[in-house]
Amino acid sequence: MGEKIMKKKLALLLAGLLVISFVGCGTPKDDPTQKDTNSTEMSETGEDSQNQPTESQKPETENSEDKQVDLSLKDVFAEHGMKVGTCLSPQMIGNAQMSKIILGQFNSVTMENAMKPDAILNQSKSVQEGNLVVEFKQDLVKMLNWAKENNLGVRGHTIVWHSQTPDWIFHEDFDMSKPLVSREVMLDRLDHYMKQVFEKLEEGGYSELVYAYDVANECWMEDGSMRQNNWKATIGDDYLWHAFNLANKYAPEHIDLYYNDYNEQFKEETFVEFVKTLVDENGNYLIDGIGLQAHLYTQDSLEEYFEAVDLLATTGLKLELTELDVSLGAWQNTLAATDDNLKAQGRFYYDLINGLFERVDAGKVKMDALTFWGFADGLSWRSDASPLLYNKIYAPKYSYYGAMQIKDKAGFDD
């Protein structure tokens, strides 16, 4: 335990030395595992629609034997009562090769950006109405329709967040030249916002697709303090309780309500104490689950990661890995995609998912879904560290077979 505390302190020190700006999910400014996403050319998964890999590109070094298997990821995860998902962008559903992989391997999707606050809150209509107005844009409707047509489950992501949330929602008359609104006004705006999110899903015929929703995202720091943001500045320290109370009021029963965060292996004790506060007047949980982003590295300690998972499981809430990717190497020391490093990645994926399956099957962890943050390295926001299951020409890697639990193809030497 002393060694783990020292590692946490080191992580905090390093986080303080490196401030990183971001756009995408799971890429907070002060998270040492995240990337610089100042470039407007890259989407959340690192996808550049102007520079897609072609068949003429050579794959990274890895096993070149026939990689066809009879089962898919969704078959393997279904054996343990779980969905398996990926993030989704409009470009993916418009690309035959990408959509074929998604539909063949996954049965759940998380919208990459299209359900985030800045994508669904309309400023001009909010000014006209005098309160926040939620609008589902064409790209989101297109993707929700695609998910519906193909019987894919959907994870909603996200409602209350410090990032990709327009600052104007916190100001008087939605005018940033004016002061922040009062607690009462912001609570009313939050009420309207939350209500409309679930109303829009119902009106569009999408509500039944959604099995989980990240009500709040990345609100706690590694030192156990709350993140400073405008939700906290306007409403107060209890803004998260109000968010979950309102979500519990408006969300249909079948949609599980999640708190989602990164660096969960350094925040697990904070989360355990936090969820104890998310109860109603009768002591019943207003929250259904904790989302673990799982942006990991091949040199991370799986023993320590599972210690965090096991502690979080003691809350009795569901757990989901919501944005899983495993970069080669370690933070600040990513490695090249050599055959040996890709084999290590395959073994890491195998051991991680095997450990989760063992816990689920034994009833120690309630986990009904796992989501990879993308599927191919060329589309990833961490593409330089080759973190996913397929390479840049969409050939499966050792990591794919690790996730599939096919040990003899996952990089384990005889």
Side-chain angles (χ1 to χ4, degrees):
M1 182 63 74
E3 180 181 357
K4 187 172 183 182
I5 291 172
M6 287 299 295
K7 288 184 178 181
K8 288 188 179 183
K9 289 182 177 179
L10 177 59
L12 289 173
L13 175 61
L14 293 173
L17 295 175
L18 182 64
V19 178
I20 303 176
S21 61
F22 66 99
V23 203
C25 172
T27 56
K29 294 178 182 177
D30 48 1
D31 178 7
T33 71
Q34 312 306 325
K35 73 161 188 176
D36 182 348
T37 55
N38 276 329
S39 171
T40 58
E41 298 173 349
M42 302 298 284
S43 69
E44 181 176 345
T45 53
E47 179 180 353
D48 180 352
S49 60
Q50 303 301 316
N51 189 29
Q52 291 300 320
T54 66
E55 288 299 329
S56 63
Q57 289 179 288
K58 294 181 180 180
E60 296 160 355
T61 303
E62 56 189 51
N63 54 333
S64 58
E65 62 185 278
D66 179 16
K67 294 178 165 70
Q68 297 301 312
V69 293
D70 293 331
L71 298 176
S72 65
L73 284 167
K74 58 187 177 184
D75 296 323
V76 172
F77 279 76
E79 293 175 1
H80 305 274
M82 295 173 62
K83 296 181 181 68
V84 61
T86 182
C87 62
L88 188 68
S89 70
Q91 292 85 356
M92 291 177 187
I93 66 175
N95 180 292
Q97 191 171 14
M98 294 184 205
S99 59
K100 182 178 179 181
I101 291 174
I102 293 170
L103 296 178
Q105 296 293 331
F106 303 101
N107 51 18
S108 169
V109 291
T110 302
M111 304 309 166
E112 179 185 43
N113 285 304
M115 295 181 83
K116 291 175 179 174
D118 61 359
I120 64 173
L121 291 169
N122 186 302
Q123 185 174 13
S124 62
K125 291 184 179 180
S126 296
V127 171
Q128 292 172 11
E129 295 293 327
N131 212 323
L132 288 179
V133 172
V134 170
E135 180 179 56
F136 282 7
K137 294 180 182 176
Q138 184 177 355
D139 279 348
L140 174 56
V141 171
K142 182 179 179 181
M143 288 187 287
L144 287 171
N145 284 336
W146 191 79
K148 188 174 184 178
E149 291 164 5
N150 291 288
N151 299 312
L152 298 172
V154 173
R155 288 197 86 258
H157 180 77
T158 180
I159 300 174
V160 172
W161 193 21
H162 70 281
S163 177
Q164 287 182 259
T165 298
D167 285 336
W168 55 260
I169 75 170
F170 302 103
H171 289 264
E172 292 179 3
D173 301 322
F174 306 108
D175 183 344
M176 289 177 57
S177 68
K178 296 184 178 181
L180 295 175
V181 298
S182 67
R183 169 183 169 90
E184 291 72 23
V185 170
M186 201 63 218
L187 281 172
D188 186 53
R189 290 182 180 181
L190 177 59
D191 187 296
H192 277 69
Y193 177 20
M194 195 73 66
K195 180 180 181 182
Q196 288 175 82
V197 167
F198 295 104
E199 283 181 343
K200 290 292 183 184
L201 289 170
E202 183 65 32
E203 290 168 5
Y206 308 123
S207 182
E208 292 302 319
L209 302 179
V210 182
Y211 64 91
Y213 215 117
D214 293 331
V215 174
N217 192 49
E218 300 172 0
C219 303
W220 292 94
M221 308 301 290
E222 286 86 350
D223 64 1
S225 64
M226 295 185 77
R227 183 186 296 277
Q228 299 299 316
N229 59 39
N230 278 333
W231 292 106
K232 184 174 182 290
T234 53
I235 295 174
D237 289 353
D238 59 349
Y239 79 95
L240 288 170
W241 184 90
H242 285 283
F244 278 92
N245 187 52
L246 290 168
N248 201 62
K249 176 181 178 181
Y250 293 121
E253 188 65 29
H254 71 272
I255 298 180
D256 287 334
L257 305 177
Y258 273 76
Y259 174 73
N260 192 55
D261 214 327
Y262 66 95
N263 276 359
E264 55 273 17
Q265 65 272 43
F266 303 122
K267 300 179 180 180
E268 73 273 27
E269 294 173 2
T270 297
F271 296 163
V272 168
E273 294 304 311
F274 163 55
V275 298
K276 292 177 182 178
T277 70
L278 298 179
V279 295
D280 63 16
E281 63 274 12
N282 297 315
N284 300 313
Y285 271 132
L286 299 170
I287 183 174
D288 298 297
I290 304 172
L292 316 179
Q293 291 185 12
H295 296 302
L296 303 174
Y297 291 85
T298 56
Q299 293 178 6
D300 285 348
S301 167
L302 271 177
E303 180 181 357
E304 291 183 5
Y305 192 78
F306 283 132
E307 286 178 4
V309 169
D310 292 341
L311 179 61
L312 291 169
T314 64
T315 64
L317 297 171
K318 291 182 180 180
L319 305 180
E320 286 185 10
L321 269 60
T322 59
E323 305 176 22
L324 174 62
D325 50 22
V326 181
S327 294
L328 299 177
W331 176 58
Q332 290 191 319
N333 186 30
T334 55
L335 300 176
T338 65
D339 197 56
D340 284 345
N341 291 336
L342 291 167
K343 283 183 176 180
Q345 183 184 56
R347 296 191 297 270
F348 190 100
Y349 267 108
Y350 180 93
D351 290 339
L352 171 64
I353 292 173
N354 182 63
L356 295 174
F357 284 165
E358 288 179 348
R359 286 163 168 78
V360 169
D361 294 346
K364 294 180 179 179
V365 173
K366 297 178 183 177
M367 183 175 292
D368 60 2
L370 180 149
T371 298
F372 295 89
W373 207 237
F375 55 90
D377 289 340
L379 308 178
S380 173
W381 63 287
R382 306 168 98 183
S383 59
D384 58 338
S386 307
L388 291 169
L389 308 181
Y390 292 77
N391 66 18
K392 292 180 180 180
I393 61 167
Y394 310 120
K397 299 162 53 182
Y398 296 111
S399 52
Y400 170 79
Y401 295 105
M404 287 286 291
Q405 300 292 281
I406 303 175
K407 193 170 186 177
D408 61 355
K409 291 188 176 184
F412 290 89
D413 294 327
D414 295 333

